[in-house]
């Protein structure tokens, strides 16, 4: 029997091993499989340790490495923000989409896809591929600011009001996306449909660098609020008595979550259930202490999304299955199980 003091570090070590395995599989598997030894040789060449590795070097360095890095960043950030939102709302069924950032980002992307030629017709052609990313990020940020404003009361930020406002904004965004889909032609509709399904296929180094700049702040700052989240589990009044600046903490957590989710949705589209499922799995393994939950969610989220991406691009190779379909197929049953368990607990 492993003691609780040793179980935490052991599980963290296993999560690191899982993430390393997921990275190797992501770099090696695809339409053209590359042996682990050759994959390590390519990585050694990038570090200046060995010579060029021919075709394997081109495939890994130019195609799979940026995709792997993007999957790592997106999965870790979505899982981290999901754990934070569940702690903030004190609700195991919460995820980042509750504050409206995902629906706002989807509306921003849909607006650019359908109306882009009219909105950005004067832009240089080299910049036009990035307009969807800018539109998605801007839509997520504006939606979050609106929900945040609607959630403000005389006593401070009301989490319940923000939840209701997020649901309303998500419904309005869905209606507007439906209207844009009705106005779109066949090409626009196909682009919009695949973007809503989520994919890491658009990964390149400029997008990875931009996403890294956003995620670095989130990875650095959110784990520092683990003690505050532990206090908030007792209730806001109790947290204040423990010295937590509740309003400042809530404001920071909400804005950083909006930044992270907005950036992820902007580059990868809608990838659901990662922020819901991963924190639950971590709590089952490590308990409710956010000092362990947050780093554990980052490790498991990155690893699971990379494994899902490997399945998505090998299951029907050489074609590619949208990764959002896989995460929904895995996450939706898990969500229903949680719902049934919560109902039985109430009854």
């Amino acid at each position: 029997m492993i003691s609780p003091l040793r179980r935490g570090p052991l599980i963290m070590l296993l999560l690191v091993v899982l993430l390393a395995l997921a990275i190797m599989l992501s770099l090696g598997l695809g339409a053209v499989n590359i042996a682990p030894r050759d994959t390590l040789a390519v990585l050694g060449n990038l570090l200046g340790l060995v010579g060029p590795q021919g075709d394997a070097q081109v495939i890994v360095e130019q195609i799979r490495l940026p995709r792997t890095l993007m999957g790592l960043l997106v999965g870790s950030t979505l899982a981290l923000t999901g754990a934070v939102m569940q702690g903030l709302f004190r609700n195991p069924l919460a995820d980042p989409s509750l504050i409206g950032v995902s629906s706002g980002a989807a509306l921003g992307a849909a607006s650019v896809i359908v109306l882009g030629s009219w909105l950005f017709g004067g832009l240089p052609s080299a910049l036009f591929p990035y307009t969807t990313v800018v539109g998605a990020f801007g839509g997520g940020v504006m939606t979050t600011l609106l929900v945040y404003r609607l959630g403000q009361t005389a006593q401070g930020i009301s989490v319940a009001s923000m939840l209701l406002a997020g649901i309303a904004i998500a419904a309005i965004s869905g209606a507007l996306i439906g209207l844009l889909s009705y106005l779109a032609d066949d090409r626009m509709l196909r682009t919009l449909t695949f973007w809503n399904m989520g994919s890491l296929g658009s990964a390149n180094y400029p997008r990875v660098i931009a996403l890294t700049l956003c995620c670095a702040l989130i990875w650095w700052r959110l784990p520092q609020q683990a003690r505050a989240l532990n206090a908030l589990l007792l209730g806001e009044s109790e947290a204040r008595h423990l010295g937590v600046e509740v309003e400042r903490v809530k404001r920071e957590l909400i804005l950083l979550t909006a930044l992270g989710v907005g950036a992820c949705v902007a580059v990868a589209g809608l990838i659901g259930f990662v922020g819901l499922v991963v924190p639950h799995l971590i709590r089952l393994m490590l308990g409710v202490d956010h000092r362990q939950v947050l780093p554990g969610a980052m490790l498991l989220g990155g690893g699971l999304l990379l494994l899902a991406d490997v399945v998505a691009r090998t299951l029907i190779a050489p074609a590619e299955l949208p990764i959002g379909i896989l995460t929904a197929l895995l996450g939706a049953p898990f969500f229903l199980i949680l719902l049934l368990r919560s109902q039985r607990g109430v009854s």
Side-chain angles (χ1 to χ4, degrees):
M1 185 70 177
I2 301 176
S3 67
L5 292 177
R6 294 184 178 181
R7 184 177 61 183
L10 178 59
I11 291 177
M12 286 294 186
L13 178 61
L14 292 177
L15 291 176
V16 171
V17 173
L18 173 65
L19 180 59
L21 176 62
I23 290 173
M24 289 299 298
L25 292 175
S26 179
L27 294 175
L29 297 182
V32 176
N33 292 331
I34 300 174
R37 181 181 61 184
D38 296 332
T39 302
L40 291 174
V42 171
L43 296 178
N45 173 258
L46 294 176
L47 298 175
L49 302 177
V50 297
Q53 302 300 310
D55 292 339
Q57 183 78 36
V58 176
I59 294 174
V60 172
E61 182 177 351
Q62 300 299 325
I63 300 176
R64 294 184 184 169
L65 182 57
R67 184 173 185 140
T68 299
L69 293 174
M70 181 180 287
L72 173 62
L73 292 168
V74 171
S76 298
T77 302
L78 291 179
L80 174 61
T81 54
V84 167
M85 285 294 100
Q86 290 177 10
L88 177 62
F89 284 94
R90 297 187 295 279
N91 187 335
L93 301 181
D95 74 345
S97 64
L98 284 178
I99 60 175
V101 60
S102 298
S103 56
L107 177 59
S111 300
V112 172
I113 291 171
V114 177
L115 306 175
S117 58
W118 176 66
L119 294 174
F120 305 105
L123 282 180
S125 58
L127 297 178
F128 198 79
Y130 298 97
T131 55
T132 302
V133 175
V134 174
F137 184 74
V141 171
M142 287 190 293
T143 302
T144 303
L145 292 176
L146 177 59
V147 172
Y148 179 79
R149 179 66 183 86
L150 294 173
Q152 286 184 327
T153 64
Q155 291 74 34
I157 303 170
S158 170
V159 174
S161 296
M162 283 194 61
L163 174 61
L164 295 175
I167 294 173
I169 295 298
I172 295 172
S173 299
L176 293 176
I177 291 173
L179 177 61
L180 290 171
S181 300
Y182 177 78
L183 298 175
D185 58 27
D186 291 342
R187 180 188 60 81
M188 296 174 181
L189 188 59
R190 182 177 178 83
T191 302
L192 181 59
T193 300
F194 277 96
W195 190 89
N196 283 327
M197 292 180 183
S199 175
L200 301 177
S202 63
N204 54 43
Y205 286 112
R207 291 191 176 188
V208 169
I209 292 172
L211 183 60
T212 301
L213 295 176
C214 294
C215 292
L217 173 63
I218 296 159
W219 288 12
W220 168 70
R221 188 56 188 161
L222 286 184
Q224 293 183 3
Q225 300 293 348
R227 293 183 182 274
L229 284 169
N230 286 341
L232 284 171
L233 291 177
L234 303 174
E236 293 187 9
S237 299
E238 289 78 3
R240 288 190 180 95
H241 287 303
L242 292 173
V244 177
E245 299 180 36
V246 174
E247 297 305 320
R248 182 189 62 81
V249 169
K250 288 195 294 186
R251 181 167 55 249
E252 182 175 350
L253 294 179
I254 291 166
L255 293 179
L256 287 177
T257 295
L259 174 63
V261 177
C264 292
V265 173
V267 299
L270 294 177
I271 299 177
F273 291 100
V274 175
L276 172 67
V277 172
V278 172
H280 274 286
L281 295 177
I282 290 297
R283 288 190 180 93
L284 291 176
M285 293 185 285
L286 294 173
V288 298
D289 187 350
H290 285 91
R291 292 174 296 179
Q292 293 185 332
V293 169
L294 298 186
M298 292 172 63
L299 293 172
L300 184 59
L304 289 184
L305 190 62
L306 287 179
L307 293 176
D309 183 55
V310 170
V311 175
R313 52 191 166 90
T314 58
L315 190 63
I316 55 174
E320 180 178 324
L321 188 68
I323 192 172
I325 294 178
L326 282 179
T327 57
L329 288 175
L330 295 175
F334 189 85
F335 181 86
L336 292 176
I337 292 172
L338 291 175
L339 183 61
L340 292 175
R341 288 181 60 183
S342 65
Q343 289 177 342
R344 290 174 183 175
V346 172
S347 60

